[in-house]
Amino acid sequence: MSAQLLSNLALFVLALLVGFEVISKIPATLHTPMMSGANSIHGVVLVGAILIAAVADTPAAYVLTFVAAAFAAMNVVGGYVVTDRMLEMFRTKPKPAPVAAPAAATNDGDVR
C-alpha cells in the first residue's frame, strides 16, 4: 500500500466521521434544507469531473469521468428540484375571486 493511498484513505475516513457528526447534530426539520443546499453545491463535483475528463487518456478514465459527471448533474438538478418544492410550501396561495352578488331590483321593476 503506497503512502499516497494511505493518506487518501485516512482523509476519506476523517471526512466520513465529520459528516456523521454534523448530520447527527442537526434537527430533523433542517435536514431537507441542508440536503437541498448540499445537492446544489455538487456543482463542484461536476466541474471537477469535467476538468478530469479534459486530461483523461484511457477508455476507463473516460467512462469514470462520464459516470461522475452524470451523477453530479443528477445531484445538482435534484437539489434545485427539492429546493423549489420546499420553497413552494412557504408561498401564499392566491385566494379565489369573490362571487358577485346578484343584481338588485329597483322599485320600478328594472334590474340594475
Side-chain angles (χ1 to χ4, degrees):
M1 185 178 289
S2 70
Q4 179 72 28
L5 181 62
L6 192 59
S7 172
N8 289 342
L9 188 62
L11 185 63
F12 180 70
V13 170
L14 286 174
L16 281 177
L17 291 174
V18 168
F20 180 77
E21 284 298 315
V22 168
I23 294 293
S24 65
K25 300 289 188 258
I26 293 178
T29 55
L30 294 178
H31 277 197
T32 301
M34 187 188 76
M35 291 309 294
S36 69
N39 285 350
S40 61
I41 290 173
H42 239 86
V44 173
V45 175
L46 183 60
V47 171
I50 291 170
L51 289 177
I52 290 176
V55 295
D57 55 354
T58 63
Y62 286 127
V63 169
L64 285 176
T65 54
F66 175 76
V67 169
F71 279 120
M74 286 189 293
N75 225 356
V76 168
V77 171
Y80 281 112
V81 169
V82 167
T83 302
D84 188 51
R85 290 184 71 189
M86 184 181 63
L87 292 177
E88 186 68 33
M89 293 188 309
F90 298 108
R91 290 190 184 122
T92 56
K93 294 181 175 60
K95 294 180 181 177
V99 178
T106 58
N107 289 341
D108 57 353
D110 291 340
V111 176
R112 294 186 184 185

